[in-house]
Amino acid sequence: MLAAAQRLAGDRPLAEPGLAREARKLFPACPLIVETDLPFALLEPFRAHLRGNPHAAGEIYQRLSRSRSTGLHYTPLALARLLLGELVEPRPLRWLDPACGCGVFGLVLREICRRQGDLPPQAFWAGDVDRAALQVFEASWRAGGSREADPQLEPPLLQDALSPFEELPPSWREGFDRVVMNPPFSNGVEEGGPDRETRSLLRSRFRTARGPFDLHVPFVERALELLKPGGRLGVILPDKWLSASFGQSLREYLADQAVIHSLHHFPQGRLFGGAALGALLLVAEKRCAAESGPVAQVFQRRDDLVETAAHQVEHGEWKELAREGWGPLLQKDRRRLLPRRPIARLGDDRPVRASLSVGEYYALPLHEQEELPQGLPLLSSGAIDPWRSHWGRRPLRIRGRDWTRPVLHPATLTEARREQAATHRVLVANMSRRLEALAIGPGEGIGVVNVIQVPCKGEDEAQLLCAWLNSPAVDRWMRLWYDPLRMNGQLSLTRSMVSRIPLPPDDPDVRQALLVLGLRLRERPDHGPALRELEALCDRAMERLVSGEGGAA
C-alpha cells in the first residue's frame, strides 16, 4: 500500500501482492475494493480515487506509519483547514512547513486558493526528514492536477529543520510570511525520541530547549527564527507545555518574541485517533516592535472542532504568567483564583519529597505482612483515598503483581527513610482524578515511588493539612494550573506541583476549624454535613488568599 501511494501518479503497474486485502483494512469506505487480489486490477480505480481525493495517499501512509513512529501525530484534514483559515490573507505570501510529512498543509492551501480563485500568488516551501513522506506529498500534488489559481510549490526538501541555522537552505533563511507546522511531540523517554547526544546538541542550539523538553519546543523557536517581522506562525502542539516546567522557557520566549492572536484548545484528547493527547492550535505573530499586541481569542473545542466556549486574554497576561504556567489562561473565570500578590506555599517551610526513589522502589525486598508482622506497610496511590487507606482492604498492584498487605522490613531502609517513617506526614496520591490526601503517623506506612509525602510537626498539623488538601477549593486550584497535564483525566503530580499549593490562611480560627473537620472526617470520610462545611470553609479561605488577605508570603 505504501508503494501504491508513492506511485499513484505514475503509470507503472504494481507487483505487490495482497493489495486488495490491505485496501479493505485501511480504506473500508474507499470505492476501490474489487474481488480480485491482483494489484494491476486495483491500480486504476485507486488512481481514480486519488484524483478525487488528493489526501488519500497521505492518509494511507500515515496509517501505516502511526504504528512505528513515536511522537508523530499526523494532522487531521479538518484541523489543517481550521488552522490555514486563520492564516490566509489576500496578499502574496511565502509559506513554509518545516515538518511537512505528507504535505497536508500544502494540499489544503491549494484547496483554499482554488476555492477563492482570486488570491494573489502564494508560494509554498516544505521539508521533512522522512523521504517516503515527501514522495507521497509530491505524488499527491501531481495527482491533483494543475490550475491557474494553485500556489507555487517549491520542490520539498529532505531537510532537518533543527539543523544549525547557517546550514539551512538559503531560500529558507530569506524568511517567510507564514510558517505552518505540526512538529513531532516526542521526548527523550519515549521510544523513537531524540537520544541523549541529540538532546545535548539541541540544548546548545536553542534557548528554549531546557529540562526534559519535548521535540516540538525547539521547532517553535526555529519557526519564529524563520519568520519575517510581522509574519505569522500557525502550529499544532500538545497542551501539556502550557503547564509543564519544561515549557517555561518556551512560554517566556513566545511572550517576549511574539504576539499571540488565537489559541484553540482540544482537551478531550482524541483528536489524533487512538492517541490520548490534549492538543491545541496556536496562531502567533512575530513581533515588529515592543508595543502591546491585540487581545487574544481562546477557544475550547470538541474533537469534532465544534466550539464549546470562548473568551479573551489580554496581551499582558501571557507575559505575567509565562514563568508559572499558562494553564489558567484556558479558563474564562481564572481571575477569581489567581492571587493578587505573593502567597505562602506548601513548600516554603517544609521539604516536599517522593516517598521512595526509583532505585529504592525496585531494589527493596517486599513481603506480605503474614511473613513479616513487624514490617512497615507500603502504600501505593491506589491505597489512598481522602482520609482513608485501603491497605489490607483490597489488592494493591505493586511491581507487576497484586499484594494484599505489602510491607517492607524497616532495617532495609536508609536511615533518612526510617526517620521519615517515624514522623507525622501527609501522603498525596498520584495519577488520580482529584487531589487525594491521607494523614499518617509514625510507623503507619510509607508510600511507593510516585506517592508524594509532606512532613508535619505533629498529628494536629497533619490532620489540618489533610483537610485543606482534600477540599474542593484546593482541587479547583490544581485544575486551574495543571489541567493540561492530565492523561486520560488523571493528573500526574510532581513534588514541584505539590510544593506550589497555597497554604491555608494564617488565621487561628480557620486553622482550628480545619483541624476539627479533619478529625471528624478521619472517622467518617463520607459524612455529608462535615464535607459541606469543609467546602464552605475552604472556599472562603481561598477567596481570602486570592484577594490578598492572610497567607501572604
Side-chain angles (χ1 to χ4, degrees):
M1 289 299 288
L2 173 57
Q6 293 175 354
R7 300 176 190 170
L8 281 172
D11 296 321
R12 291 171 292 176
L14 301 177
E16 291 80 359
L19 187 58
R21 182 173 59 254
E22 295 304 314
R24 290 190 194 95
K25 292 179 186 176
L26 292 169
F27 265 94
C30 177
L32 59 80
I33 307 302
V34 295
E35 293 305 317
T36 176
D37 209 28
L38 294 175
F40 187 75
L42 274 174
L43 184 58
E44 185 51 42
F46 198 87
R47 186 185 287 116
H49 177 67
L50 183 62
R51 283 195 293 268
N53 177 16
H55 302 284
E59 290 173 1
I60 292 174
Y61 179 77
Q62 291 163 15
R63 292 189 189 198
L64 290 170
S65 300
R66 189 176 293 132
S67 62
R68 63 176 174 83
S69 299
T70 302
L72 297 181
H73 303 283
Y74 289 103
T75 310
L77 186 55
L79 200 61
R81 289 169 175 154
L82 175 64
L83 184 55
L84 263 72
E86 290 208 24
L87 295 171
V88 169
E89 286 186 12
R91 63 185 180 93
L93 295 173
R94 283 170 50 93
W95 295 74
L96 171 68
D97 182 351
C100 67
C102 296
V104 63
F105 288 121
L107 295 170
V108 168
L109 178 62
R110 182 171 67 177
E111 280 182 10
I112 294 172
C113 290
R114 288 180 176 182
R115 183 171 64 248
Q116 297 193 12
D118 58 352
L119 280 177
Q122 309 287 306
F124 194 87
W125 279 258
D128 204 286
V129 294
D130 186 338
R131 186 187 302 273
L134 293 173
Q135 293 172 346
V136 172
F137 179 21
E138 292 183 286
S140 300
W141 188 274
R142 290 195 303 271
S146 177
R147 299 185 191 175
E148 185 176 349
D150 287 355
Q152 175 186 344
L153 176 66
E154 299 295 328
L157 300 177
L158 186 67
Q159 175 65 50
D160 180 0
L162 302 182
S163 299
F165 189 86
E166 61 275 10
E167 296 179 11
L168 296 176
S171 59
W172 287 25
R173 286 183 274 130
E174 291 175 13
F176 292 91
D177 304 295
R178 297 289 186 269
V179 175
V180 60
M181 63 179 181
N182 176 11
F185 297 175
S186 57
N187 57 42
V189 177
E190 298 170 330
E191 182 182 353
D195 57 28
R196 181 174 298 182
E197 182 180 354
T198 301
R199 294 174 70 80
S200 179
L201 282 173
L202 293 176
R203 285 193 179 98
S204 68
R205 201 172 291 162
F206 296 95
R207 58 186 275 193
T208 57
R210 298 292 177 263
F213 66 92
D214 285 4
L215 199 54
H216 65 82
V217 169
F219 264 97
V220 174
E221 181 177 340
R222 175 51 49 87
L224 283 172
E225 288 179 332
L226 292 170
L227 279 170
K228 300 175 182 177
R232 290 195 179 183
L233 165 68
V235 58
I236 300 173
L237 297 169
D239 61 0
K240 62 181 180 179
W241 66 276
L242 296 175
S243 298
S245 58
F246 77 78
Q248 177 183 337
S249 56
L250 178 57
R251 295 189 298 267
E252 292 175 337
Y253 185 78
L254 283 168
D256 183 59
Q257 300 291 325
V259 174
I260 294 174
H261 282 261
S262 65
L263 187 152
H264 302 256
H265 186 220
F266 300 84
Q268 292 180 331
R270 296 293 175 184
L271 195 62
F272 300 103
L277 181 72
L280 57 86
L281 302 185
L282 181 71
V283 176
E285 180 177 313
K286 187 172 182 177
R287 282 181 182 274
C288 295
E291 71 271 7
S292 295
V295 173
Q297 302 295 321
V298 175
F299 303 92
Q300 297 289 337
R301 294 184 182 274
R302 300 197 315 238
D303 289 346
D304 60 4
L305 308 193
V306 172
E307 179 186 320
T308 59
H311 62 275
Q312 295 182 334
V313 175
E314 297 288 340
H315 173 73
E317 291 184 78
W318 302 101
K319 198 170 190 71
E320 177 187 345
L321 295 180
R323 184 176 183 276
E324 290 197 82
W326 284 347
L329 301 183
L330 299 176
Q331 307 297 327
K332 184 176 182 179
D333 60 348
R334 60 195 176 278
R335 279 298 171 190
R336 67 185 183 88
L337 280 176
L338 290 178
R340 296 173 190 171
R341 62 174 180 166
I343 60 175
R345 309 287 181 139
L346 191 58
D348 289 348
D349 62 350
R350 72 195 74 210
V352 177
R353 298 188 177 102
S355 295
L356 293 175
S357 70
V358 174
E360 290 171 321
Y361 174 69
Y362 285 105
L364 291 171
L366 286 181
H367 309 271
E368 287 285 5
Q369 191 184 42
E370 289 76 6
E371 307 167 11
L372 189 66
Q374 303 305 314
L376 184 67
L378 183 64
L379 285 76
S380 66
S381 290
I384 299 172
D385 274 352
W387 295 284
R388 177 184 295 163
S389 168
H390 293 284
W391 184 88
R393 298 178 183 175
R394 64 188 183 199
L396 302 178
R397 191 73 175 174
I398 298 177
R399 290 196 336 210
R401 59 161 284 190
D402 290 334
W403 299 80
T404 305
R405 292 179 173 86
V407 296
L408 296 170
H409 197 302
T412 62
L413 296 173
T414 64
E415 182 177 354
R417 294 298 186 200
R418 288 197 298 272
E419 289 177 358
Q420 292 170 21
T423 63
H424 287 277
R425 288 154 292 144
V426 172
L427 301 185
V428 182
N430 217 322
M431 295 306 293
S432 58
R433 295 187 178 275
R434 55 152 296 169
L435 208 59
E436 297 175 328
L438 171 70
I440 63 172
E444 291 182 1
I446 191 168
V448 300
V449 63
N450 69 347
V451 172
I452 295 170
Q453 62 177 353
V454 184
C456 299
K457 296 174 183 176
E459 181 182 2
D460 285 359
E461 186 181 69
Q463 294 298 337
L464 181 158
L465 183 58
C466 184
W468 176 248
L469 295 178
N470 284 325
S471 70
V474 173
D475 187 60
R476 283 193 296 271
W477 191 92
M478 293 293 287
R479 289 177 180 274
L480 177 77
W481 285 98
Y482 299 120
D483 247 13
L485 298 181
R486 291 184 181 274
M487 295 182 290
N488 295 319
Q490 296 179 320
L491 183 59
S492 177
L493 294 173
T494 65
R495 289 175 294 167
S496 172
M497 291 161 61
V498 175
S499 295
R500 291 186 58 229
I501 294 175
L503 283 170
D506 190 14
D507 181 315
D509 293 336
V510 172
R511 289 175 175 259
Q512 180 62 29
L514 280 171
L515 172 59
V516 170
L517 288 168
L519 292 171
R520 286 168 59 187
L521 288 163
R522 179 183 62 177
E523 302 302 322
R524 296 182 59 188
D526 300 324
H527 189 227
L531 288 170
R532 289 190 291 273
E533 192 175 342
L534 176 69
E535 180 174 3
L537 173 69
C538 293
D539 283 352
R540 292 192 300 270
M542 188 65 77
E543 288 174 6
R544 289 183 58 185
L545 291 175
V546 171
S547 66
E549 300 177 33

